[in-house]
Structures are given as structure tokens and as C-alpha cells.
Amino acid sequence: MNSELDQTKAEHADVLRRFQASFFAMSRLASFDWTFLDKDLEKKSTELLSDIMKQTCLHPVCRTFPPAVRYRRLFLSELIRRQEAATCEPVDELYDALAEVLRAEEQPECYKTYLLPCGGAVSLLESVALISEGTTGLVTWEAALYLAEWALDNQQAFSGRAVLELGSGVGMTGITICRSCSPSKYVFSDCHPAVLHTLRRNVQLNRLAASLSVCVEDLDWTTAKDERLRQIGANTVIAADVVYDPDIVSILVKLLSLFLRGSPPEVAPEALICSTIRNPDTYNGFKQQLGAAGLRHHVMTGPAPHTFPYNRASTIELIKVHI
């Protein structure tokens, strides 16, 4: 009997953890595991429902870093729909929370929060729209989450290293590495003014350790020279989701070549590029241009743990580029 009770409690805690992680990352509602909740509601119990509320809409994180208004409204409406379908007693705080969200105004920005295995979290200000201000750089994409997971599983690859991130976007990968992998220095970079503004806000928002040297640089790949890269002083370059436009692939290859050939061999320079392969021709063209520039690459094994909730149907590949 005790073992069954312990198993039930463990399942309960696991469901709550997954609901919380998915809610704060604003995962699609269809991706939530509703089965356990529905079974609980069938028994006319609202205990799990109340606990889900406490770990999502009523959690302090939701007050400080709220997901989008529309998303919270849809989430609460789905909870109410399932509760009413099971003809359970109404949970007052559920309806109160929905009434509050219905009164709230939609904003062009929202927060996504990603829970870290160490118990901390990365909270990011992002655009509600996938494309805004003429860029896709104001939201977190799957390749950034994949690379962040790989970093968590391979912390030694960044420990004590000076890291330059190209096309940092809103900062998911870099903030995760700074929080968990102990780099000696971390340089976020981008070139779009709106992205840089949001990136600086997110770096400040996550209060990276004062002992860690962290900065945000305006880095235009078309004008970056060897001297600029030496000035940055990185021995590891990383990038996520930057191989999507054939027009910038050659510029990226030249920049990687500058970095790898311009670094003293004693620092063992490394470049890690993580890509969602949307257009195989563009991606294969990138690899061909690496070869034409005298750069080799090999595919790194994927992240072992599924730390963050995101759509894993996409084909994502991480490669290490070297001379």
C-alpha cells in the first residue's frame, strides 16, 4: 500500500513539474499531458487541478514574468473546460484567475521562463509575434533550446572558456551557459537594434554573476575584421539558427575562418553551430562552403536529457567546425 501511495505522489509531482515547465515556456496546449488530470477529475477530485493552478497562474513567477495574456486565457479556459466536462465542484481560484486575465490588455511582448535542472530558471522577454520589427530574432527558436540542452549535458566544453555567441537573439543559449557552465567570459552579439535592446534587457533581467565577465556587442558579420575578433578574445564561438539564408552563409563561413585561423593554436579554438534544417539545399550549401574554405566539420551527438519543452519534430543538427 505504501509503495502505491509513494508512486502516486511521485506521479503527481512529476505531472506538476511538467505542467509548470510547459506553461512558463508557453508550449502548445496540445503538448500537455492531460491524461493524469482527467483521471483525477473523473474521481470528482480537484486536488490536482488546484495544485496545477498553484504551480502556474498563481505561482509568483507568473506575477513577475507573465506569459502572454492570450496564452494564459487559453490555458485557463482549457482547465475550466475539463473541470466542467467532469462535472466537478467549481474551483473558485480558477474562475477568479480567468476573470483577471480577461480584464488584462494584450501586450506586444511577454515572458517565457525555462526551468533549469539546478533549480534556477531563465526568464526571457520576447515578442508575442514570430516576426516583429522586421526580424525573427525576438523569439526563442528550437535550435537555441537544443544547443542550451547540449551545453547543460557538456558543461566541460564551456568551463573556463571565453565564449563569443553569434546571433544571440533574446539570449536563451547564452544565459543558460552563463548560469550553468562557468565560462570565464561570455560575449553575446547581434546586429539588429531591436534585438540588441531586448538582449541587453534579458541579460540584466537574469542577473548574471558579477564575477563573470559578460557583455553584449553589436557585431556585424559583414564588417567584422580579424582585429575585432582578437579584441573580443574568445576561444569558443557558438551560434544557433543562423544558417537559414543563402545570402549570409558565405559571410558566416568567412567569419568562422577568420576566427579559427586568427586564434593562437595554444588556445585550441572551437566553433559550434546548431541549425534547424528547414531547407536542406541551404544547409548543404553551408557545409560545402566550409569545405571550400578549408574548414572541416563533424556532427556532435544530440543532448541526452530533454530539459526544455519544445517541438522535437524538427531536424536539428549541431556541428563542430575546425581547421
Side-chain angles (χ1 to χ4, degrees):
M1 179 67 89
N2 284 339
S3 62
E4 288 182 10
L5 184 60
D6 289 343
Q7 183 179 352
T8 301
K9 287 182 178 178
E11 288 177 343
H12 187 101
D14 185 55
V15 168
L16 287 177
R17 179 190 60 77
R18 284 186 279 118
F19 259 85
Q20 185 180 58
S22 296
F23 172 79
F24 284 118
M26 285 178 55
S27 300
R28 294 175 301 109
L29 293 186
S31 69
F32 282 67
D33 182 4
W34 298 103
T35 307
F36 204 83
L37 173 62
D38 287 341
K39 286 180 179 178
D40 202 56
L41 291 172
E42 284 173 9
K43 293 182 275 188
K44 307 305 177 187
S45 168
T46 57
E47 180 184 356
L48 180 57
L49 180 60
S50 295
D51 286 345
I52 287 172
M53 284 293 297
K54 291 172 187 173
Q55 295 302 318
T56 56
C57 293
L58 302 181
H59 195 277
V61 169
C62 195
R63 292 291 180 190
T64 311
F65 305 117
V69 169
R70 181 175 181 273
Y71 183 81
R72 283 179 282 151
R73 184 172 69 245
L74 290 172
F75 178 75
L76 289 165
S77 297
E78 183 64 18
L79 291 180
I80 289 172
R81 185 184 74 78
R82 289 175 182 272
Q83 175 201 261
E84 291 180 344
T87 62
C88 291
E89 284 294 318
V91 177
D92 290 342
E93 57 261 35
L94 184 53
Y95 292 90
D96 292 342
L98 180 61
E100 182 180 339
V101 171
L102 289 173
R103 290 193 298 268
E105 290 185 17
E106 295 279 1
Q107 300 295 328
E109 296 175 319
C110 65
Y111 291 96
K112 288 185 182 178
T113 297
Y114 298 92
L115 308 182
L116 297 173
C118 63
V122 175
S123 293
L124 302 169
L125 183 66
E126 298 193 12
S127 170
V128 171
L130 292 179
I131 301 175
S132 60
E133 302 200 41
T135 179
T136 58
L138 291 168
V139 296
T140 297
W141 294 91
E142 284 89 351
L145 292 160
Y146 182 103
L147 182 51
E149 286 184 329
W150 187 89
L152 289 171
D153 203 39
N154 296 270
Q155 296 182 25
Q156 72 284 353
F158 303 96
S159 179
R161 306 276 295 184
V163 183
L164 165 63
E165 183 181 3
L166 305 174
S168 297
V170 293
M172 172 62 197
T173 303
I175 294 170
T176 300
I177 290 173
C178 290
R179 281 283 186 82
S180 304
C181 303
S182 304
S184 61
K185 176 182 181 180
Y186 201 96
V187 180
F188 295 85
S189 75
D190 215 290
C191 66
H192 192 286
V195 175
L196 285 166
H197 177 69
T198 301
L199 179 57
R200 290 189 175 99
R201 291 172 71 183
N202 283 334
V203 169
Q204 184 177 18
L205 184 74
N206 284 275
R207 300 176 182 175
L208 299 181
S211 59
L212 177 64
S213 176
V214 175
C215 62
V216 177
E217 295 281 346
D218 183 346
L219 185 65
D220 186 336
W221 300 355
T222 60
T223 59
K225 304 296 182 186
D226 189 49
E227 182 183 352
R228 179 74 190 281
L229 293 177
R230 282 200 305 270
Q231 201 176 49
I232 290 173
N235 48 37
T236 297
V237 161
I238 69 168
D241 221 349
V242 295
V243 183
Y244 57 86
D245 183 349
D247 294 336
I248 65 169
V249 163
S250 59
I251 301 169
L252 173 61
V253 170
K254 287 178 184 176
L255 188 62
L256 292 174
S257 183
L258 266 180
F259 165 71
L260 290 168
R261 291 194 165 92
S263 301
E266 60 268 19
V267 305
E270 295 182 350
L272 294 164
I273 310 298
C274 190
S275 306
T276 300
I277 305 174
R278 299 181 181 86
N279 185 324
D281 290 339
T282 299
Y283 190 63
N284 290 332
F286 166 60
K287 288 183 173 181
Q288 289 167 6
Q289 290 196 43
L290 287 174
L295 301 178
R296 294 178 294 163
H297 72 273
H298 66 271
V299 178
M300 310 295 285
T301 55
H306 286 189
T307 306
F308 306 118
Y310 61 92
N311 179 14
R312 297 176 187 273
S314 303
T315 302
I316 301 175
E317 186 171 271
L318 173 63
I319 62 172
K320 179 181 281 190
V321 181
H322 50 97
I323 297 173

